[in-house]
């Protein structure tokens, strides 16, 4: 069973905020939400992760709902270089396994 | 910044050849991983290592072996390459391995292997 559900694709205008949603309704209390992205023909790149609280770093912000059943990755000012497949992953403490689903293909449009 | 490098971006080998894929990380990470990525199947874990000379099988270890003689280097070996091992191979590393904590994996650029 898929642990996360993401839209297949999204478009975003260059310079605007990109908001990528993820549903993880069966998340457990000790499971983290991770976001990675993969630009074509490259290895996945770590973006951000969180447990309960909202998180922000130099790349993005992560908003997790209070019930933790969904989250949103926000790229505040999308550029053409942000065009990639974005993966939302739920993984537990002590787990070495990252299960990448199909992700969301984000296209940033000039 | 964490840097994970892989020996080749593209590799073409013939069926039956022995293939070595090398991965090096420069952040003194304890854990290293080998995945393969295929269209429609996502990333699948082949092997991982949590210490020098220690290894654990992942989901699809058949046809592969690994070697970790030094902390920074993790090698994936295809003993006798077959066409169904044509894939993108990704190496990753992470700092810790603890039942209480989750750790971030950092990936290399990938090696696209074609077996003819």
């Amino acid at each position: 069973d898929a642990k996360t559900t993401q839209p297949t694709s999204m478009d975003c205008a260059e310079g605007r905020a990109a908001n990528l949603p993820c549903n993880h309704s069966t998340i457990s209390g000790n499971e983290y939400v991770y976001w990675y992205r993969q630009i074509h023909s490259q290895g996945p790149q770590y973006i951000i992760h969180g447990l309960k609280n909202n998180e922000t770093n130099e790349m993005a912000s992560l908003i997790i709902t209070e019930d933790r059943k969904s989250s949103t990755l926000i790229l505040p000012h999308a550029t053409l270089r942000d065009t990639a497949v974005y993966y939302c992953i739920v993984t537990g403490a002590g787990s070495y396994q990252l299960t990448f689903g199909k992700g969301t293909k984000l296209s940033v449009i000039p | 910044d964490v840097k994970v490098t892989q020996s080749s971006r593209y590799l073409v080998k013939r069926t039956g050849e022995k293939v070595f894929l090398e991965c090096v990380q420069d952040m003194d990470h304890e854990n290293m991983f080998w995945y393969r990525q295929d269209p429609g199947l996502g990333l699948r874990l082949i092997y991982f290592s949590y210490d020098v000379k220690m290894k654990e099988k992942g989901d699809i270890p058949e046809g592969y072996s690994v070697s970790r003689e030094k902390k920074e280097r993790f090698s994936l070996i295809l003993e006798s390459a077959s066409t169904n091992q044509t894939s993108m191979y990704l190496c990753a590393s992470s700092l810790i391995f603890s039942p209480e904590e989750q750790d971030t994996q950092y990936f290399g650029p990938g090696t696209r292997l074609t077996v003819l």
Side-chain angles (χ1 to χ4, degrees):
Chain A
D1 289 341
K3 278 192 162 186
T4 63
T5 305
Q6 298 178 252
T8 302
S9 63
M10 292 181 64
D11 291 341
C12 177
E14 190 178 15
R16 303 296 295 269
N19 296 280
L20 292 93
C22 179
N23 286 322
H24 32 79
S25 58
T26 60
I27 192 169
S28 301
N30 66 347
E31 288 184 313
Y32 291 75
V33 180
Y34 270 78
W35 284 85
Y36 284 79
R37 72 181 182 185
Q38 190 168 23
I39 296 168
H40 183 62
S41 294
Q42 296 184 24
Q45 178 188 21
Y46 165 76
I47 302 173
I48 199 167
H49 74 282
L51 183 62
K52 295 180 183 176
N53 300 321
N54 299 337
E55 303 287 344
T56 295
N57 63 19
E58 64 279 2
M59 287 183 70
S61 294
L62 174 61
I63 308 298
I64 302 175
T65 57
E66 196 168 337
D67 63 7
R68 302 208 323 124
K69 293 185 176 181
S70 66
S71 60
T72 301
L73 178 75
I74 301 171
L75 308 178
H77 305 286
T79 71
L80 299 179
R81 287 175 296 183
D82 292 322
T83 292
V85 178
Y86 287 76
Y87 296 98
C88 170
I89 298 165
V90 167
T91 184
S95 171
Y96 55 81
Q97 187 84 347
L98 288 180
T99 302
F100 285 71
K102 296 191 185 320
T104 296
K105 182 174 172 53
L106 175 69
S107 298
V108 180
I109 312 299
Chain B
D1 279 353
V2 176
K3 195 157 173 87
V4 179
T5 57
Q6 296 183 228
S7 50
S8 305
R9 290 301 310 274
Y10 300 93
L11 206 54
V12 180
K13 296 292 182 180
R14 296 214 173 267
T15 301
E17 281 193 78
K18 190 168 186 176
V19 182
F20 293 86
L21 303 182
E22 302 283 334
C23 175
V24 177
Q25 50 94 3
D26 67 355
M27 286 301 291
D28 203 33
H29 281 179
E30 301 292 330
N31 309 311
M32 296 187 74
F33 307 81
W34 275 107
Y35 294 87
R36 64 178 283 178
Q37 184 175 30
D38 301 288
L41 296 176
L43 268 73
R44 292 179 291 167
L45 182 65
I46 304 171
Y47 269 98
F48 75 99
S49 168
Y50 52 90
D51 200 353
V52 174
K53 296 191 187 295
M54 305 303 289
K55 61 186 179 185
E56 291 285 343
K57 293 179 180 179
D59 295 327
I60 51 163
E62 296 78 20
Y64 303 94
S65 61
V66 290
S67 172
R68 191 162 181 208
E69 297 295 321
K70 293 185 178 181
K71 191 175 187 179
E72 68 271 17
R73 189 178 298 268
F74 192 33
S75 301
L76 180 70
I77 303 150
L78 286 66
E79 297 291 342
S80 177
S82 63
T83 55
N84 63 12
Q85 292 179 309
T86 291
S87 186
M88 168 75 102
Y89 288 88
L90 292 158
C91 175
S93 72
S94 69
L95 180 61
I96 57 173
F97 183 69
S98 158
E100 293 83 30
E101 300 179 67
Q102 179 53 24
D103 193 28
T104 299
Q105 291 186 27
Y106 297 90
F107 286 81
T111 296
R112 188 164 294 283
L113 172 68
T114 301
V115 182
L116 301 175

